[in-house]
Amino acid sequence: GTAVAAELSPRHEIVPVSRAKAALKVDLAEPESIRALYRAAGPLDAVICAAGRSRPGALDALDDPDR
């Protein structure tokens, strides 16, 4: 995640999120934690996840197990 943020930050606003080290925190194993993160972050143009596995697709088209 750090390398991705470093590469993108000169051209984009980065909203760092982590389990414990960022102002915005999330537990990726808990769907409600993920929903709370999006409520706290507000509108976003893009999301890059550098943790765990993900499935490609629009967030609103994915079910909880796929997010």
Side-chain angles (χ1 to χ4, degrees):
T2 302
V4 172
E7 180 66 28
L8 295 174
S9 63
R11 300 177 311 280
H12 304 279
E13 178 184 2
I14 304 297
V15 179
V17 177
S18 78
R19 234 178 332 164
K21 297 180 182 179
L24 291 175
K25 295 175 180 50
V26 66
D27 178 349
L28 294 177
E30 296 295 331
E32 184 51 40
S33 178
I34 296 168
R35 284 190 275 277
L37 166 66
Y38 283 107
R39 286 191 298 270
L44 301 168
D45 291 327
V47 175
I48 297 171
C49 179
R53 291 180 232 140
S54 66
R55 299 181 196 258
L59 289 175
D60 59 359
L62 299 174
D63 294 325
D64 280 346
D66 296 328
R67 294 184 188 180

